[in-house]
Amino acid sequence: MTLARRQFGQALMVAAGSGLAAAPALAQTRRPAIYAKRLQPGDTVALVSPANATYEREPIAIATEALQALGFKVRHGAHLRGRYGQFGGSDAQRAEDINTLFADPQVAGILAMTGGSGCNRIVDRLDYALIARQPKFFGGFSDLTSLVNAIHQRSGLVTFHAPVAVSEWNAFSVAHFRALVMDAEAPLLKNPTGERGDHLVQTQDRITTLRGGRARGPLVGGNLAVLASLVGTPYFPDCRGAILFLEEINEYIYRVDRMLSTLRLAGVLEQLAGVVIGKFTKCEPGDGFGTLTLDEVFDDYFLPLKVPVYRGAMIGHIKRKFTIPVGADAEIDADAGTLQILRPVVS
């Protein structure tokens, strides 16, 4: 049993004289950040299926053409079309594709075909020493939350919470991906403003400030359910002084509450320098006589932290999305609803 697991197991020990459960201090080591080379036209980007299978041929064809339109050569992982239940191949096959492509000097980047489930099943099968020796772009979101955080935590490589290959590669998403990954910029991530349509005021992609202020720290996070499932393992990110970003889809509010309570009880939330809440798409009350609202849940967990927090960032299961560099330093401005990346995150 690892030290991190032992300490998580002590989470409910009673603090002397207080009658309250004591949150454990997570034992973690922050490795120096490693930066991949920026992707350039003509580079080879490989597609892998570390989560769900892709059942039809057309999505693979469209994804391949989209990456080619960005100027890349595209290679398909050996098991890209694999299937084991809902997964894109067996655990061994899916991990093998990632390890093999990190080891291949002809491959400049690796992008997940889709999310779904199953990445936790292979997180302990990756060769993190190899990844540190052969750093390259690795990206995806949703279930890929476990891999982008684990890779950074175990190797130091800055990874990317980015569109998966089957995402809609619209102008907004492409511009943010290109700025970070291809043009080596350090952009300001800010929701569009002034998009009123036929309304008197902007009604979509609004920012809500829960607690104002600024703070700096490394970015960690992603999908809340997947992130919470890593608590107590060696693959959970180091959250000391970090800026946590979160998104979710199709979860009842009581489950969102439970996941956030897991992070609180593990001592994670108290370590944070700031919080960015993305889109919680279709996270609704469900059945029953009453429930907390998302506003109330977020207030309960984040306001006591007394750190900058804002809600509504374009992160999550939405058509237009930011690319977020996991492990890179950023500054949150909760009053403005922005994230400033502090340095180029590719070399």
Side-chain angles (χ1 to χ4, degrees):
M1 181 181 291
T2 66
L3 178 59
R5 285 193 179 98
R6 288 199 301 271
Q7 291 179 315
F8 181 62
Q10 297 166 357
L12 298 180
M13 292 184 64
V14 177
S18 70
L20 299 176
L26 300 182
Q28 294 166 313
T29 300
R30 179 166 291 149
R31 289 172 170 79
I34 299 172
Y35 301 96
K37 291 183 179 179
R38 68 186 181 97
L39 295 180
Q40 302 181 63
D43 282 346
T44 296
V45 173
L47 292 177
V48 293
S49 293
N52 274 20
T54 302
Y55 298 94
E56 302 288 344
R57 290 186 289 269
E58 187 173 68
I60 294 177
I62 292 173
T64 300
E65 291 171 18
L67 292 179
Q68 289 171 338
L70 283 169
F72 303 131
K73 299 174 184 176
V74 181
R75 180 182 299 182
H76 292 171
H79 303 101
L80 180 67
R81 292 177 171 82
R83 179 176 173 270
Y84 174 69
Q86 77 270 28
F87 305 129
S90 69
D91 295 347
Q93 289 171 335
R94 290 179 288 127
E96 177 188 337
D97 273 4
I98 294 174
N99 289 331
T100 298
L101 292 166
F102 264 107
D104 189 337
Q106 301 303 313
V107 173
I110 303 170
L111 183 67
M113 182 69 193
T114 186
S117 64
C119 287
N120 276 24
R121 293 172 62 113
I122 67 170
V123 73
D124 58 345
R125 292 173 177 258
L126 300 190
D127 188 338
Y128 295 103
L130 165 67
I131 292 171
R133 293 194 306 269
Q134 299 267 88
K136 59 189 63 177
F137 167 85
F138 184 88
F141 83 108
S142 191
D143 195 54
L144 273 294
T145 293
S146 64
L147 296 188
V148 296
N149 283 279
I151 287 174
H152 176 68
Q153 175 63 20
R154 297 300 299 273
S155 73
L157 176 64
V158 171
T159 54
F160 295 88
H161 186 273
V164 291
V166 297
S167 293
E168 181 176 314
W169 290 90
N170 52 62
F172 183 94
S173 299
V174 168
H176 285 84
F177 179 88
R178 189 187 297 277
L180 272 172
V181 177
M182 301 178 68
D183 297 338
E185 297 178 5
L188 178 71
L189 303 183
K190 180 180 180 180
N191 285 19
T193 57
E195 294 185 348
R196 293 181 300 174
D198 292 333
H199 300 280
L200 290 174
V201 298
Q202 183 170 338
T203 61
Q204 300 295 317
D205 300 321
R206 293 171 60 95
I207 289 296
T208 301
T209 300
L210 277 69
R211 188 175 187 276
R214 295 187 180 190
R216 292 187 174 191
L219 289 161
V220 299
N223 180 265
L224 174 58
V226 179
L227 191 71
S229 74
L230 291 176
V231 168
T233 76
Y235 309 101
F236 190 82
D238 186 343
C239 290
R240 292 172 298 175
I243 297 171
L244 176 68
F245 66 94
L246 295 171
E247 61 87 16
E248 193 49 89
I249 186 171
N250 291 336
E251 292 284 2
Y252 289 140
I253 293 174
Y254 81 86
R255 294 178 180 171
V256 172
D257 179 89
R258 181 186 293 154
M259 296 166 197
L260 289 174
S261 74
T262 297
L263 298 184
R264 183 182 68 81
L265 291 171
V268 171
L269 298 185
E270 66 189 29
Q271 300 178 357
L272 300 174
V275 180
V276 178
I277 305 171
K279 304 295 187 178
F280 276 61
T281 307
K282 297 181 180 178
C283 291
E284 299 169 348
D287 299 326
F289 291 100
T291 180
L292 295 173
T293 66
L294 279 177
D295 281 344
E296 291 167 332
V297 169
F298 293 147
D299 285 353
D300 283 348
Y301 285 98
F302 297 129
L303 290 184
L305 305 180
K306 301 189 184 305
V307 299
V309 184
Y310 71 92
R311 178 181 174 186
M314 297 181 73
I315 304 168
H317 290 72
I318 51 178
K319 290 185 176 181
R320 301 190 299 171
K321 55 175 65 70
F322 296 138
T323 293
I324 308 291
V326 174
D329 287 334
E331 181 177 81
I332 178 177
D333 183 337
D335 296 290
T338 60
L339 270 178
Q340 174 67 61
I341 307 304
L342 295 180
R343 58 145 289 170
V345 293
V346 288
S347 61

